[in-house]
Amino acid sequence: MSKVRKAYHGLQRLLKFSPWILKILYFNFHYFPFKQAVKLPVLLRKPHFIKLKGKVIIDNPKIRFGMITMGKLVNTCNPDSGIILDLDGMLIFKGEAIFANNSAIMIQDDGIIILGSHMDCAGQIKCAKRIEFGDDCVLAYNSMVMDSDWHALTDVVSGKLVKKTAPVKIGNNNFISFNCLVTKGTVTPDFCTFTYNSHLCKKYDVEPYSLLGGNPCRLLDEGYYYDRNNN
């Protein structure tokens, strides 16, 4: 594609986001160095800014226009509410990403979220300490990932608080279907698929290409994965 055609298609795409252009400009120039910000690598549709503190980093040598899209209308059965951003810690993108309508990201003060390249998210991510996704992951609609219980329990005998946070690490090429809940301490291998309404809550010592599901989640079958290029 010629540079002129690329510029034309880029302009057409930007026009679709024109109602939110001021917020797009603010977000990009607030978080990124000037040479990155002028390329407008992040496009926002119906963004709701609760807090824009901390840092947002694109850890990729190839920064391009619109490589990260947030609030895109993908699921027409879900509310067309854009995206909620409540950022107080660090958000790191390793590459391209799409966050669909009715998605949200919340990071507390010293929390870190790392998103692998080609992240596809239609759910909510709530981070107190550390949540990491590998490359080519899908978090389907109405699913939530969180690394904290948020409300700690007290041990009756010792009077101590029960540990309420533990890091979450999702492997490469994981597909987490709709209505799933991923809680503290979850660790998954590469090429895992989780069926809808599953509760992920521990380290899963299974082979790649495993199919898991249930509440609590367990191994259902082997020899499957989600190929987003052949779906």
Side-chain angles (χ1 to χ4, degrees):
M1 186 183 294
S2 68
K3 291 184 178 180
V4 174
R5 289 187 64 188
K6 283 184 178 180
Y8 174 73
H9 288 298
L11 179 60
Q12 282 189 317
R13 189 177 175 197
L14 183 60
L15 288 174
K16 294 180 180 179
F17 291 84
S18 58
W20 309 282
I21 188 62
L22 292 180
K23 289 188 174 182
I24 291 171
L25 290 170
Y26 178 78
F27 186 93
N28 282 275
F29 283 91
H30 175 66
Y31 279 118
F32 305 129
F34 183 81
K35 288 184 178 180
Q36 292 184 1
V38 294
K39 296 181 181 180
L40 299 183
V42 177
L43 295 178
L44 301 161
R45 183 178 180 276
K46 293 189 176 181
H48 302 275
F49 296 154
I50 306 301
K51 195 182 299 177
L52 293 182
K53 294 185 177 180
K55 295 181 179 180
V56 178
I57 298 169
I58 303 177
D59 184 14
N60 190 299
K62 297 181 179 179
I63 305 296
R64 64 176 183 80
F65 169 74
M67 62 186 295
I68 298 162
T69 304
M70 295 184 170
K72 183 178 180 180
L73 181 58
V74 176
N75 299 304
T76 55
C77 293
N78 277 13
D80 184 15
S81 53
I83 186 169
I84 296 173
L85 295 173
D86 186 357
L87 308 180
D88 222 356
M90 184 178 295
L91 176 60
I92 301 175
F93 293 93
K94 292 290 188 177
E96 298 178 357
I98 294 178
F99 281 76
N101 52 301
N102 200 37
S103 57
I105 303 174
M106 188 193 83
I107 312 176
Q108 287 193 332
D109 296 350
D110 54 353
I112 299 174
I113 294 177
I114 302 174
L115 303 174
S117 62
H118 300 100
M119 178 73 189
D120 190 341
C121 177
Q124 293 79 43
I125 305 175
K126 298 177 65 175
C127 177
K129 294 297 181 181
R130 186 180 181 92
I131 296 175
E132 183 174 355
F133 284 84
D135 296 335
D136 298 299
C137 285
V138 176
L139 180 66
Y141 62 91
N142 291 340
S143 289
M144 179 176 288
V145 178
M146 53 186 182
D147 63 348
S148 174
D149 297 329
W150 302 106
H151 303 286
L153 297 178
T154 301
D155 186 293
V156 175
V157 177
S158 67
K160 295 181 179 180
L161 291 177
V162 178
K163 184 179 180 181
K164 68 174 183 176
T165 64
V168 170
K169 187 172 183 178
I170 307 299
N172 297 316
N173 291 90
N174 271 219
F175 182 91
I176 301 172
S177 191
F178 67 94
N179 284 341
C180 286
L181 177 61
V182 182
T183 52
K184 69 178 186 181
T186 296
V187 179
T188 70
D190 296 342
F191 290 98
C192 281
T193 302
F194 297 89
T195 63
Y196 61 89
N197 291 332
S198 296
H199 180 196
L200 290 65
C201 57
K202 65 177 184 178
K203 181 177 180 179
Y204 292 92
D205 292 317
V206 297
E207 294 297 320
Y209 304 103
S210 291
L211 177 66
L212 302 97
N215 184 5
C217 196
R218 60 184 178 85
L219 180 64
L220 300 176
D221 207 343
E222 294 179 322
Y224 299 95
Y225 80 105
Y226 175 74
D227 184 354
R228 65 201 306 168
N229 297 315
N230 182 29
N231 182 45

